Amino acid sequence: MLHQFVHEIGQKLIRKRPLEAIAESERCVAHLNILNLVILGVGRMLRSGVYIVAGAVAKYIAGPATIISFLVAALFSMLSGLCYAEFGAWVPRSGSVYLYSYVTMGQLYAFVIGWNRILPLVIGTASLARASSYVFDSLIGNHISQALQETFSLHLPYSLATYADFFALGLVLLMTGLLLLGARESILVTKISIGINILVLIFIIITGFVKGDLHNWKLTEQDYKLNTSGSRDIYGLGGLGLLGSGGFAPFGFEGILQGASTCFYCFFGVTAVATKGGEAINPRRSIPWSIMITIFICFLAYSGVSAALTLMVPYHQIQPHDPLPQAILYSWWLPARYFVTIGTLCALISRLQSAMFRMPPLIYMMAKDGLLFRILTRIHVRTGTHVVAIMSAGNLTGVMALLFKLTDLVDLVSVGTLLINSLVAFSVLVLRYQPDQNLSKNENTEEEIEMPDLDEHPLDSEPEARNSNVLKSLWFPISTIPTRKSGQIVYGCASLLVLLMIILSLIVVQWSSQGFSAGSGYTPVAVLLLLLIIGVTVIIWRQPQNPIPLYFKVPALPVLPLVSIFVNIYLMMQITSGTWAIFGIWNVIGFLIYFGYGIRHSLEENDEQQPPASTSQTLDKNTPSPESS
């Protein structure tokens, strides 16, 4: 009885969502070339990180070596972007990572990805509101923060801000109200936002290289003393705290990696390009090239601003809440400060408006699939808006913007993004070795897993039935095409590799804190884990791959997805324990919702109850994609 119960629960967790056929008249016309995709990607990727995060990372985490942190984040975001591109290629339509995972990997997998996509969208929007509040406050002389700090000071634990930011809350509620009234995202506003972004960033970069001082990349203890005692300490910080060891990388290699884990937030948005395969002209070429060009352009912007900022201001004197206008002020170019502040504020508010449009569609889609509460699908009769989904997203975002510090909001976005990047890379690794599955038919996915394919190689069926000669099948598979058994081997090996990589990452983090000492007891353990990882990787490599033609495939499989997974896990280990605690609470709430409600109310629970055609058919037509972030 217990075995049957566990078996039934397991079947529900892996149940997949079938794709409904799209009528020819409703098919999306391929119209996006590389330039269009790059503009879309840059518009989604250039966010508050370029105005706020660069200053916070430079001051507290990496110093001038923030440039290297952005380089590390960009390189490995590119790996994740290529994995996203293949993941999108498995589902023949534009959509979202949530949809792709539901169709290919199953219900629980889709819920985890969808629930942890909501978090970066909510937190990213809250960080935009908080950043807008900081910049506006700076423009009017910090009167808002002073008044709020005196009236609503929060003497509460670690992750909460020093005061409740009601101005940021007001911005979020204003944008939520506009959404409820039926406002639509304007392409013109998006283009103007991108234009303002680029103009302000170019101005800041040129100013930094003209007015900057290379000596700020070679600071010593004497420089710290001069700066703290001199009249140019415009921030009145008093005690400067831990300043690091000076030089270009004052916090060392560990600071660079920790900075990279935070900087991943700035490249959150690569899915805006990767999920547009159904609308791209020649997606085999345009999708991967657009991803790489977009990340490269954004890296140039982020690294250029970081270089300019740390050249103009000694890193320990950067004002983290409003770094760029204050850096211009520090260089004694007062009129330019107002241009930078106003330009920054306009860009942030337009990005905030754009970000608010992308949260409700994902919440609505998950609720319509039954994984979240059905009340979230309620639509206002007069305006036609997803009223409950909008209010839920707005209220949650408002609370985050009101109470949490910007740097902690950014870390939460980073850990959620790194987790999803890992899940996508894992999906690509597993899917390439699975037997063919018809995603468009409403078939029982459990039978695909429990029963061998009828089209299996005839020489392979008898050994599988006897389950004999297991070791030989690991190294010398009989069939040249994927079978149920080879797919299970890859799934098990990939899961084992993730576990080994988590253990290795924990060991490397502890080992690095000891300066990678050769005499450390971590050395033999790390070597053993590496050997095990290599051995299991070879087993995966020996298995037959699915020959299905896709418009893009990740090269160097299985190595590239595994490298992406390991880097994502290692960078996640750099996130602070307080951020992990909040992230853990978020996921506990999610699993309570799923196992208490979603698993019993999903559309796939009743085999006779089919998902409405609009759920999947209108993704290309009427419903905005939640991954356009």
Side-chain angles (χ1 to χ4, degrees), residues 175-381:
M175 298 302 174
T176 303
L178 292 176
L179 274 180
L180 289 172
L181 292 174
R184 296 288 183 265
E185 186 172 8
S186 170
I187 296 176
L188 178 61
V189 171
T190 301
K191 290 180 178 179
I192 292 173
S193 169
I194 295 172
I196 294 174
N197 259 324
I198 293 173
L199 285 176
V200 171
L201 296 180
I202 290 174
F203 179 80
I204 290 169
I205 292 171
I206 293 174
T207 301
F209 283 98
V210 171
K211 295 279 189 177
D213 183 359
L214 194 60
H215 180 70
N216 286 331
W217 285 5
K218 300 178 287 186
L219 298 175
T220 63
E221 186 178 349
Q222 186 64 24
D223 293 310
Y224 299 149
K225 293 177 180 178
L226 289 174
N227 275 313
T228 54
S229 61
S231 59
R232 296 187 68 185
D233 183 12
I234 61 174
Y235 309 119
L237 295 177
L240 293 176
L242 297 176
L243 302 175
S245 58
F248 180 74
F251 301 98
F253 182 69
E254 188 174 354
I256 292 174
L257 290 180
Q258 188 177 348
S261 65
T262 301
C263 292
F264 249 91
Y265 158 79
C266 299
F267 298 98
F268 170 60
V270 68
T271 53
V273 177
T275 57
K276 294 296 181 182
E279 302 172 51
I281 301 171
N282 188 14
R284 183 186 302 275
R285 177 173 177 269
S286 59
I287 294 294
W289 274 106
S290 300
I291 289 172
M292 290 188 286
I293 293 171
T294 298
I295 291 177
F296 179 69
I297 291 173
C298 292
F299 162 70
L300 290 180
Y302 289 130
S303 61
V305 168
S306 301
L309 179 62
T310 52
L311 283 171
M312 282 190 287
V313 185
Y315 72 88
H316 60 273
Q317 287 198 336
I318 291 173
Q319 169 56 265
H321 291 164
D322 188 25
L324 300 183
Q326 293 291 351
I328 298 293
L329 178 61
Y330 189 89
S331 65
W332 301 111
W333 199 353
L334 299 183
R337 179 203 174 201
Y338 293 99
F339 168 74
V340 171
T341 304
I342 294 172
T344 300
L345 184 62
C346 291
L348 286 173
I349 291 179
S350 62
R351 291 294 298 119
L352 174 62
Q353 181 192 23
S354 178
M356 287 295 297
F357 285 97
R358 294 192 296 279
M359 291 185 291
L362 177 57
I363 296 173
Y364 175 83
M365 190 186 306
M366 293 182 68
K368 194 155 190 175
D369 286 340
L371 301 185
L372 294 179
F373 303 113
R374 293 282 183 181
I375 192 174
L376 294 169
T377 63
R378 186 169 296 176
I379 296 177
H380 195 278
V381 177

Side-chain angles (χ1 to χ4, degrees), residues 24-64:
E24 196 64 33
S25 60
E26 297 179 349
R27 288 189 181 276
C28 208
V29 178
H31 63 284
L32 298 177
N33 57 24
I34 292 179
L35 179 61
N36 300 139
L37 291 168
V38 169
I39 292 174
L40 174 66
V42 171
R44 294 297 185 237
M45 233 177 254
L46 279 182
R47 49 184 66 241
S48 64
V50 73
Y51 299 106
I52 303 295
V53 174
V57 172
K59 181 178 178 67
Y60 297 118
I61 301 175

Side-chain angles (χ1 to χ4, degrees), residues 212 282 348 448 497 543 557 583:
N282 188 14
L348 286 173
E448 293 176 3
L497 281 175
Q543 305 307 309
L557 203 82
F583 185 71

Side-chain angles (χ1 to χ4, degrees), residues 9 13 108 111 590-600:
I9 293 295
L13 299 181
L108 177 62
F111 180 84
F591 283 121
L592 288 175
I593 293 173
Y594 176 71
F595 287 104
Y597 178 88
I599 196 171
R600 295 183 292 108

